[in-house]
């Protein structure tokens, strides 16, 4: 990537990470021994797994000459991740936890929702790079997608793993 | 039109920021006068209490987010590329997208008046007053969305400036040679990247509470109103320095040129600003001393708040040392720079006073605080901006500003400003709380408030003269030429106003004052 674009994306990543750190801090500050928790189940694990897979495929897209196939597989995994995330939230809502019903619900849905929004934007950008005119932005979009992946695993650790440690 | 809104020319983007800020400055100034009229005498009822709350909220929000911060961004976008010899910003498109986000936010904020319920919870919007239970109108929703847009715009502009400064300096223009204004824009922009997202996250939480019935800041449902205060001031205190560091940069350009001496201690001015940037993230709780936070916590923040005065004080001495022994030219620009030193020091001293917790407990939420913030924001940032405008107007317009008008502007503003705000220190000591719309006829209250209001009218008159001076200058000001002040930095090496691209040939950069070096070529080795 060109030096200016690289520096610009790095700064954006800093700003975006700080945004999430604040949401995570809010989530963290509301934890109590008796508070509700998000269960870690097969769905969460699979959702995280496909996102990790998308990281591998987009990494390959950056190294190989036949990159279209790798980009397309990344898009496939991105869609799978978005569906997985949606399923997580729907199940949560079905179990009676919503934004308005509890403090945990508020903190959980805003945090996961903000990440979902990022993943959705990332998916749109990935899709755009398959067109001829936008294909030259693939490196910036890749950087953004790495950010989406990194943020998810930070959230995964705080929301799903922390209650067990 | 297209040339203005394409973003291709950083000078036009910068000017658009400045024009927008001037418009909002007029709105914010009118709000200030409305408050002063309401407070002129005891027991007045010119405004309704409700309207008064809306007006002080809009005044604060406007001046901070729509005037001081963006006008400095405007100067930064205009001047930075010229000063480092670049022909454009790193991301011209981001310059204009940022501006649009900013304008959209500003317009949205003011559109709230049309709904009949403008935001009325103060520029800091403390919870739980901002929860839907207590503020059922739509005003705070407008406020939160507007600030989200403005913040996004600010981050874009900041990233643009950082990357431009990091990558587009001409050969020879090392970071030890860039003008101090560029240094200050760099530090400020880094602070914006680190601070603004904190506000954005807090605003998202506020909106979730208000629009989706969330409970982040709702104590009745387990949430924490204090959390808002922490997040707001983790953003808010760096924001204070975001509004003053570029002003320091302007002062650091103006004082050397009109003292005919290079800045004293260049690296100290630059490095003390970096120190300020770091420390500014560790002082936020001094806005919350009245909250029961625990002795240790309070002591740490009291200490850090006193500490941050040191790098600021260092700069004051740098500027005084630069003036010392120089051939001082008392242009209007220099007058404002000297007044800045005095007014800002007063504001700085009342700030250090607050860092002592017992004093803060006595004076918090009183007019003493109002006096303090205006001494640093008006006596500091705005005085420096006036110095900057008189200094750079010839470069930006190609015309000189009238010095006689300038004197009138200067003295009216100095008298009006000090008359308005100095007495508010005493009002605060007498115990007059801020954010009240009317007050009883207690001893001293009436007289001091009347002095404040009359002085505010004088101040307003001074500002009118300033705008008249700008308009007359644009039309009739005598031609400025490339370098009317015999200044030394690169922006003066091109025509006024600068063409696009600004430079045919950039003078070789051999030091911090390229134009001085150009006029004094190194002698052949003896």
């Amino acid at each position: 990537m060109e030096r200016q674009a690289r520096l610009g994306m790095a700064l954006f990543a800093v700003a975006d990470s700080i945004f999430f750190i604040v949401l995570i801090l809010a989530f963290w500050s509301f934890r109590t021994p008796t508070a509700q928790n998000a269960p870690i189940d097969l769905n969460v694990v699979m959702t995280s797994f496909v996102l990790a897979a998308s990281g591998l495929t987009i990494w390959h897209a950056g190294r190989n000459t036949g990159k279209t196939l790798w980009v397309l597989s990344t898009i496939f995994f991105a869609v799978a991740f978005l569906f997985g995330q949606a399923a997580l939230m729907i199940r949560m809502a079905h179990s009676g936890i919503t934004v308005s019903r509890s403090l945990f619900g508020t903190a959980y849905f805003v945090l996961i929702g903000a990440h979902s929004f990022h993943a959705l934007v990332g998916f749109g950008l990935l899709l755009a790079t398959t067109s001829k005119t936008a294909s030259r932005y693939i490196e910036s979009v890749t950087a953004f997608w790495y950010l989406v992946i990194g943020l998810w695993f930070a959230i995964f650790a705080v929301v799903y793993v922390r209650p067990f440690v | 039109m297209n040339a203005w809104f394409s973003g291709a020319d950083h000078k036009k983007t910068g000017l658009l920021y400045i024009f927008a800020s001037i418009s909002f400055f007029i709105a914010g100034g009118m709000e200030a006068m409305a408050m002063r009229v309401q407070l002129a005498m005891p027991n007045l009822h010119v405004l309704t209490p409700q309207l008064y709350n809306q007006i002080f909220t809009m005044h604060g929000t406007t001046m901070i987010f729509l005037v001081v911060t963006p006008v400095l961004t405007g100067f930064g976008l205009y001047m930075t590329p010229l000063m480092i010899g670049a022909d454009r910003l790193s991301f011209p498109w981001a310059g204009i997208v940022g501006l649009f986000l900013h304008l959209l936010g500003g317009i949205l904020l003011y559109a709230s008046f049309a709904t009949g319920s403008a935001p009325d919870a103060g520029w800091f919007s403390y919870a739980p007053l901002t929860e839907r239970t207590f503020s059922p109108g739509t005003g705070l929703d407008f406020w939160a969305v507007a600030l989200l847009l403005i913040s996004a715009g600010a981050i874009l502009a900041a990233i643009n400036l950082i990357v431009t400064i990091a990558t587009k300096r001409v050969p020879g223009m090392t970071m030890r040679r860039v003008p101090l204004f560029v240094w200050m824009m760099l530090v400020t922009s880094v602070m914006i990247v680190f601070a603004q997202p904190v506000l954005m996250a807090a605003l998202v939480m506020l909106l979730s509470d208000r629009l989706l019935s969330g409970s982040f800041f709702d104590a009745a449902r387990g949430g924490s109103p204090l959390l808002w205060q922490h997040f707001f001031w983790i953003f808010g205190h760096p924001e204070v320095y975001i509004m003053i560091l570029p002003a320091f940069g302007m002062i650091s350009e103006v004082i050397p040129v009109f003292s005919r001496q290079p800045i004293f201690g260049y690296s100290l001015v630059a490095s003390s600003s970096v120190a300020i940037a770091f420390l500014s993230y560790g002082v936020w709780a001094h806005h919350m001393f009245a909250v029961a936070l625990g002795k240790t916590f309070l002591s740490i923040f009291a200490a850090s708040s006193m500490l941050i005065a040191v790098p600021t004080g260092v700069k004051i001495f740098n500027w005084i040392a630069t003036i010392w022994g120089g051939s001082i030219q008392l242009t209007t620009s220099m007058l404002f720079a000297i007044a800045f030193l005095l007014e800002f020091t007063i504001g700085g001293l009342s700030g250090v006073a607050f860092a002592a917790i017992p004093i803060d407990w006595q004076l918090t939420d009183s007019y003493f605080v109002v006096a303090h913030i205006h001494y640093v924001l008006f006596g500091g940032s705005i005085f420096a901006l006036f110095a900057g405008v008189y200094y750079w107007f010839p470069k930006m317009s190609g015309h000189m500003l009238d010095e006689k008008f300038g004197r009138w502007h200067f003295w009216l503003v100095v008298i009006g400003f000090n008359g308005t705000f100095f007495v508010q220190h005493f009002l605060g000591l007498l115990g007059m709380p801020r954010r009240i719309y009317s007050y009883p006829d207690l001893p001293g209250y009436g007289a001091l408030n009347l002095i404040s209001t009359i002085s505010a009218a004088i101040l307003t008159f001074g500002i009118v003269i300033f705008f008249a001076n700008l308009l007359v200058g644009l039309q009739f000001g005598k031609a400025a030429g490339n370098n009317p002040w015999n200044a030394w930095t690169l922006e003066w090496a091109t025509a006024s106003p600068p063409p696009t691209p600004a430079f045919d040939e950039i003078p070789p950069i051999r030091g911090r004052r390229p134009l001085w070096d150009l006029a004094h070529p190194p002698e052949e080795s003896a």
Side-chain angles (χ1 to χ4, degrees), chain B residues 203-357:
Chain B
L203 290 168
V204 166
M205 293 180 215
L206 176 62
L207 283 170
S208 323
D209 276 11
R210 292 184 54 83
L211 302 177
L212 306 172
S213 307
S215 46
F216 278 115
F217 308 124
D218 184 354
R221 291 192 292 151
S224 166
L226 257 189
L227 196 63
W228 168 268
Q229 284 198 32
H230 280 296
F231 288 156
F232 187 83
W233 289 117
I234 289 173
F235 151 77
H237 205 80
E239 170 69 14
V240 173
Y241 290 93
I242 287 166
M243 290 188 286
I244 197 68
L245 287 183
F248 287 174
M250 292 179 173
I251 293 296
S252 305
E253 298 302 320
V254 167
I255 284 184
V257 166
F258 294 117
S259 306
R260 310 311 301 159
Q261 304 205 94
I263 187 93
F264 180 88
Y266 170 98
S267 35
L268 260 183
V269 177
S271 56
S272 60
S273 304
V274 177
I276 286 177
F278 276 108
L279 285 173
S280 74
Y281 288 89
V283 296
W284 81 86
H286 71 212
H287 295 269
M288 304 163 62
F289 280 164
V291 173
L293 291 171
K295 233 183 204 162
T296 319
F297 196 82
L298 289 184
S299 311
I300 290 170
F301 279 91
S304 65
S305 303
M306 289 179 191
L307 196 62
I308 202 168
V310 175
T312 312
V314 164
K315 274 199 253 293
I316 300 280
F317 285 110
N318 280 114
W319 292 317
I320 293 173
T322 307
I323 297 173
W324 195 263
S327 353
I328 301 162
Q329 300 171 350
L330 283 180
T331 57
T332 309
S333 176
M334 185 62 171
L335 284 177
F336 270 112
I338 292 169
F340 160 90
L341 291 180
L342 297 169
E343 312 289 8
F344 183 76
T345 301
I346 296 175
L349 289 176
S350 58
V352 181
F354 274 129
I357 294 166

Side-chain angles (χ1 to χ4, degrees), chain B residues 119-130:
Chain B
D120 56 1
W123 83 276
F124 39 79
S125 282
Y126 281 164
L129 178 58
T130 47

